Amino acid sequence: MRRPFALLAGALLVGACALPASAADSGSTGDQGFTIKDPRITESSGLAASTLHPGIYWTHNDSDDGPYIYAVDSRTGKTVATLTLRGIGSPRDVEAISIGPDHQIYVGDIGDNLGGKWPYVWIYRLPEPKVLKDQTVRATQYVVKYSNGPRNAESLLVHPRTGRVYIIDKNENGGHLYEGPATLSASGANIFRPVATVDLWATDAAISPNGRQLAVRGYFGGIYYDWNGGSIKRKGRLDVPLQGQGESVSYSPDGTKLMYGSEGAGSSVEARDAPGGASSGKAPSGGGSSASQAGGSATVGGSFKVGAVVVAVLAAAVFGLRRLRRRG
């Protein structure tokens, strides 16, 4: 009886361990998470879902890389196009990327690790190419200043319907949502003004495709808000995965998932359900289960619950087999 018992227990264990992988592979467009395989991308600091090419996510390196952005196929993790931005100066500290109306890509050269050294920062805008291939694309450069002085920021978001651009500054004690002009001007400075407080040390943020929800992430947690016309209202915590250095977040094109990215060679992008289903007209429900920025440990969402159920089922099966064995 020992060998059949061992084989059956092993089969149960293999089947149980395979359950999470099957769930992860259920997405047909790759919006279930992926690993970036391009060896050039070692400091992925921003993430934005393509509005033209299903399954494609745009990303970029943090700094010292040049005027490049990369189109990554989430089904394979491979880069399918590298865009070289023309018509701009030398990027300084690129931290964020977002896509607005009419398939326009916005790149935020808004980092300032010295906390106020730069009197101004830049935003670059370029059209998302209809054909994915290595190419040079002319971009428009905008000068950005803050009404209350220079600051460091890593979060750039563009409202998907109005096209208005927003920035969230990065402050350990919490920051502010800054609103740009209704239309950015390529001549002169664009003044961004604080319109709401954000209770997080923000490393990235994104607005849902329907324009009704704002997701803000930090290194160890996240918060989501009702957009409320820019007068944001806090709703709850996000289920942010525990990552080595959590740097980016993007909604999937249908708004049902939040995609969380991190830095490092071969970095992973992990998917979590967007709270309340941001693609629908329903109001978000309940908070997430991740830890706060102040302390505690982040959870890995539903995978922990699935694992606990799997262990319980396996234990019960093994216990039952042992009883049958004794009876035999």
Side-chain angles (χ1 to χ4, degrees):
M1 289 291 292
R2 286 187 179 182
R3 186 175 180 183
F5 171 80
L7 289 174
L8 184 53
L12 284 169
L13 180 60
V14 170
C17 292
L19 286 175
S22 298
D25 292 339
S26 62
S28 59
T29 62
D31 299 316
Q32 299 290 325
F34 57 97
T35 298
I36 297 175
K37 297 180 180 179
D38 191 332
R40 298 172 298 174
I41 305 174
T42 58
E43 293 184 294
S44 175
S45 188
L47 195 69
S50 169
T51 56
L52 272 181
H53 307 285
I56 297 298
Y57 285 82
W58 293 97
T59 190
H60 55 83
N61 281 313
D62 187 342
S63 57
D64 299 325
D65 184 39
Y68 310 117
I69 62 174
Y70 306 91
V72 178
D73 188 339
S74 62
R75 289 156 289 204
T76 64
K78 296 180 179 180
T79 297
V80 293
T82 300
L83 302 189
T84 302
L85 279 57
R86 183 180 61 187
I88 65 172
S90 299
R92 203 158 46 194
D93 190 357
V94 179
E95 291 287 356
I97 189 168
S98 183
I99 298 182
D102 301 321
H103 315 296
Q104 295 293 305
I105 301 175
Y106 293 75
V107 181
D109 191 354
I110 56 177
D112 186 350
N113 291 326
L114 298 179
K117 176 181 178 181
W118 312 118
Y120 55 86
V121 290
W122 299 302
I123 292 173
Y124 314 124
R125 179 179 61 84
L126 63 148
E128 185 173 11
K130 295 181 180 179
V131 178
L132 290 175
K133 64 178 182 179
D134 294 350
Q135 57 190 293
T136 298
V137 180
R138 176 166 289 279
T140 302
Q141 179 169 312
Y142 302 101
V143 174
V144 170
K145 292 185 176 181
Y146 301 97
S147 62
N148 52 355
R151 58 204 57 249
N152 185 31
E154 296 187 4
S155 307
L156 174 79
L157 43 142
V158 183
H159 195 278
R161 296 186 179 178
T162 68
R164 199 157 195 161
V165 183
Y166 297 82
I167 293 172
I168 299 175
D169 62 340
K170 184 182 181 184
N171 191 311
E172 189 172 357
N173 297 319
H176 291 82
L177 175 71
Y178 284 80
E179 182 181 71
T183 303
L184 295 180
S185 172
S187 60
N190 296 273
I191 306 301
F192 279 61
R193 306 179 188 279
V195 294
T197 58
V198 174
D199 307 320
L200 201 69
W201 191 12
T203 60
D204 202 12
I207 302 180
S208 60
N210 63 12
R212 298 178 183 177
Q213 191 177 93
L214 169 67
V216 186
R217 78 158 300 170
Y219 291 120
F220 304 112
I223 299 172
Y224 69 97
Y225 299 81
D226 277 346
W227 180 247
N228 195 36
S231 300
I232 58 176
K233 293 184 178 180
R234 178 170 172 161
K235 298 298 292 183
R237 290 203 167 272
L238 293 171
D239 180 23
V240 179
L242 186 61
Q243 295 175 306
Q245 185 170 337
E247 287 284 342
S248 60
V249 65
S250 172
Y251 281 88
S252 61
D254 63 3
T256 62
K257 299 288 184 181
L258 278 166
M259 312 294 287
Y260 296 97
S262 60
E263 286 193 358
S267 61
S268 64
V269 175
E270 300 188 40
R272 295 288 185 271
D273 290 336
S279 64
S280 70
K282 299 178 182 178
S285 61
S289 57
S290 67
S292 70
Q293 289 291 101
S297 59
T299 70
V300 291
S303 59
F304 176 81
K305 296 175 183 178
V306 171
V309 172
V310 167
V311 171
V313 170
L314 181 59
V318 171
F319 177 74
L321 286 169
R322 283 177 176 172
R323 292 191 63 183
L324 288 173
R325 184 184 176 192
R326 286 198 297 268
R327 288 178 182 178

